[in-house]
Amino acid sequence: AVVSCFKRHGAAAIDTPVLELRETLMGKYGEDTKLIYELQDQGGELLALRYDLTVPFARYLAMNKITNMKRYHVAKVYRRDNPAMTRGRYREFYQCDFDIAGQFDPMIPDAECLKIVHEILSDLQLGDFVVKVNDRRILNGVFAVCGVPESKLIPACSTVDKLDKVPWEEVRSEMVGEKGLSPEAADRIGEYVQLHGGLDLIEQLLQDPKLSQNKLAKEGLGDMKLLFEYLTLFGITGKISFDLSLARGLDYYTGVIFEAVLLHQENEHVVEPLSVGSVAGGGRYDGLVGMFDPKGRKVPCVGVSIGIERIFSILEQRLEASGEKLRATETQVLVVTPQKHLLAARLKLISELWDAGIKAEMLYKKDPKLLKQLQYCEDTGIPLAAIVGEQELADGVVKLRDVTTREEVRM
């Protein structure tokens, strides 16, 4: 579903190496740089395993002098994290990325990325979700008008990003205690970062006497208004929330940032639905390609990453809860013999089925018991059994058995 959505939007598939130069990855991920897997000196080169698919993509564009590309990439990334399987955090996991690189009119590609998130999460039927949207420029403008010095912007950003997990009081005390902000600045930030809404909130902030004086915030709010106009045309604003607490910890974002969260209702009386965690995220990173270009040529980019492993763990939990079986294979038919000394008949029939393009299996025993073969169908979810016994061979037919209903037809 995910790849077909990327293809539907006209993206080409690319691949990049698992190993990158250490310096390529360093300093791009904020506080998460400590989670990069570094390797020892390999013949004079310090290497690291890729941490995401975005930085390698930017390096790829710069090295190949590409200024215009729409791509998707499904591959493994590596993080020296503390894996807690239940929370969907791993050290090696797949990411599914879609990115649009190139100089275009504002917010058109950004709106398409949000449309893709909406399509994928709706297709997968994961339940209710919300896509939080913000802009780094709005956030930086908020920090500036609240009196945060430039040197403390990124640390303040990563602290605000925790607001979806911990209450404002904790965020405030970390800002003041650990990040060295003044209590007044922290309180002023609190007035802004607890706001969320839609077009009405954007209009309200455009009228805000302090924010409207800030060039960055004004630009960001203007683009955000445009984005919401396009999202209205796509008909998806019902699931989009302009959320000033969204910061996303990565250093390379320059404009719009977004994150999709699944919601679950604990019971009918909950006013604010609880979040299950982020299943997709992304944003605009206009400066990244320039970092790898010897002449510093910039290529504006916007992209989205789908957290496919987290989505899988949610789907698996649901299947377990409902008692349904998750099929690991696509086998359509198991070739079965009810009596002994019929291995040759099975091998001939399965070969004919494979040659006809039918997905077929058989047990690797000369004389398996009939019950064991049918049990294998049930355990693995194979829907049909093709039975060739002495009688069938004599009549030149095959008996086809529907494993669930146990109905049989001779063919």
Side-chain angles (χ1 to χ4, degrees):
V2 175
V3 169
S4 61
C5 175
F6 293 160
K7 287 180 176 174
R8 187 162 66 236
H9 285 263
I14 70 158
D15 197 10
T16 64
V18 171
L19 293 175
E20 291 282 351
L21 287 176
R22 180 183 177 275
E23 72 212 38
T24 300
L25 305 184
M26 286 302 160
K28 312 287 191 303
Y29 303 110
E31 292 183 349
D32 287 346
T33 293
K34 61 181 182 289
L35 300 180
I36 292 172
Y37 265 115
E38 295 182 52
L39 305 180
Q40 290 298 316
D41 183 337
Q42 304 287 317
E45 286 183 321
L46 288 171
L47 301 173
L49 296 178
R50 63 180 172 210
Y51 179 87
D52 69 358
L53 302 176
T54 312
V55 171
F57 174 56
R59 183 207 37 84
Y60 172 92
L61 291 174
M63 272 183 66
N64 296 293
K65 298 186 171 57
I66 297 168
T67 56
N68 198 317
M69 187 181 209
K70 195 190 288 189
R71 81 88 162 90
Y72 75 89
H73 189 185
V74 178
K76 279 185 173 176
V77 299
Y78 302 85
R79 298 185 180 183
R80 213 171 60 201
D81 212 335
N82 290 327
M85 290 315 195
T86 49
R87 290 184 305 133
R89 284 188 96 88
Y90 310 101
R91 287 181 169 181
E92 175 186 72
F93 56 95
Y94 278 97
Q95 276 193 342
C96 304
D97 280 25
F98 171 95
D99 292 83
I100 301 171
Q103 189 70 58
F104 305 109
D105 284 338
M107 307 321 278
I108 305 172
D110 310 62
E112 185 168 0
C113 285
L114 286 159
K115 177 78 170 82
I116 284 169
V117 173
H118 189 278
E119 278 176 34
I120 288 171
L121 294 182
S122 304
D123 280 354
L124 291 171
Q125 296 178 336
L126 294 165
D128 202 11
F129 63 91
V130 65
V131 186
K132 300 176 183 179
V133 185
N134 198 3
D135 193 301
R136 267 290 166 87
R137 293 165 298 173
I138 298 173
L139 212 47
N140 289 349
V142 164
F143 288 152
V145 303
C146 293
V148 176
E150 199 147 311
S151 60
K152 292 183 178 164
L153 270 184
I154 288 171
C157 239
S158 57
T159 306
V160 164
D161 206 36
K162 296 176 183 170
L163 255 182
D164 59 337
K165 298 178 190 75
V166 298
W168 165 248
E169 288 67 37
E170 277 183 52
V171 169
R172 183 187 181 280
S173 64
E174 185 180 313
M175 277 182 164
V176 177
E178 289 174 39
K179 304 289 159 82
L181 265 60
S182 72
E184 300 78 45
D187 288 335
R188 284 202 289 269
I189 290 167
E191 288 170 23
Y192 286 106
V193 295
Q194 294 179 78
L195 299 171
H196 53 89
L199 259 174
D200 49 349
L201 177 59
I202 299 165
E203 295 287 6
Q204 180 193 321
L205 292 173
L206 278 165
Q207 304 303 315
D208 184 293
K210 280 188 295 191
L211 264 191
S212 55
Q213 298 308 304
N214 182 281
K215 186 172 169 286
L216 270 181
K218 205 170 175 187
E219 267 177 35
L221 285 164
D223 276 353
M224 189 60 68
K225 187 178 176 186
L226 199 54
L227 177 69
F228 265 79
E229 283 169 18
Y230 297 156
L231 297 177
T232 306
L233 294 169
F234 282 152
I236 61 171
T237 43
K239 296 270 190 239
I240 313 276
S241 164
F242 170 41
D243 189 321
L244 280 149
S245 71
L246 179 69
R248 290 191 64 76
L250 302 174
D251 282 5
Y252 53 64
Y253 290 123
T254 54
V256 165
I257 44 177
F258 48 86
E259 196 163 277
V261 224
L262 294 187
L263 306 170
H264 66 152
Q265 223 88 34
E266 285 295 298
N267 57 42
E268 295 309 304
H269 314 298
V270 177
V271 185
E272 279 281 303
L274 287 153
S275 144
V276 180
S278 162
V279 287
R284 179 160 282 285
Y285 51 102
D286 288 349
L288 201 52
V289 179
M291 288 183 184
F292 302 114
D293 190 291
K295 292 185 179 164
R297 282 173 295 222
K298 287 192 172 181
V299 178
C301 296
V302 63
V304 57
S305 185
I306 308 292
I308 203 71
E309 302 260 354
R310 204 169 269 190
I311 289 171
F312 279 155
S313 63
I314 292 162
L315 289 173
E316 276 170 10
Q317 281 166 2
R318 294 215 180 142
L319 276 171
E320 267 174 44
S322 69
E324 278 182 64
K325 274 205 178 74
L326 188 65
R327 286 201 65 186
T329 67
E330 295 181 11
T331 309
Q332 296 161 305
V333 60
L334 185 77
V335 175
V336 171
T337 43
Q339 297 98 4
K340 289 186 173 181
H341 315 303
L342 289 173
L343 176 61
R346 268 190 296 150
L347 290 170
K348 276 180 70 176
L349 177 57
I350 200 165
S351 184
E352 285 175 30
L353 292 173
W354 285 335
D355 291 344
I358 291 164
K359 296 165 185 157
E361 277 187 75
M362 60 176 242
L363 297 196
Y364 304 122
K365 274 178 94 85
K366 277 205 307 204
D367 300 316
K369 292 190 167 62
L370 178 62
L371 207 62
K372 194 148 192 180
Q373 297 171 88
L374 295 174
Q375 189 58 50
Y376 180 76
C377 288
E378 294 214 351
D379 293 346
T380 56
I382 298 172
L384 297 171
I387 303 168
V388 269
E390 287 157 2
Q391 190 59 54
E392 284 77 23
L393 282 172
D395 298 347
V397 297
V398 173
K399 191 155 66 179
L400 211 55
R401 177 186 173 102
D402 182 316
V403 177
T404 20
T405 66
R406 302 185 179 175
E407 286 171 22
E408 295 182 341
V409 286
R410 287 159 68 86
M411 300 178 80

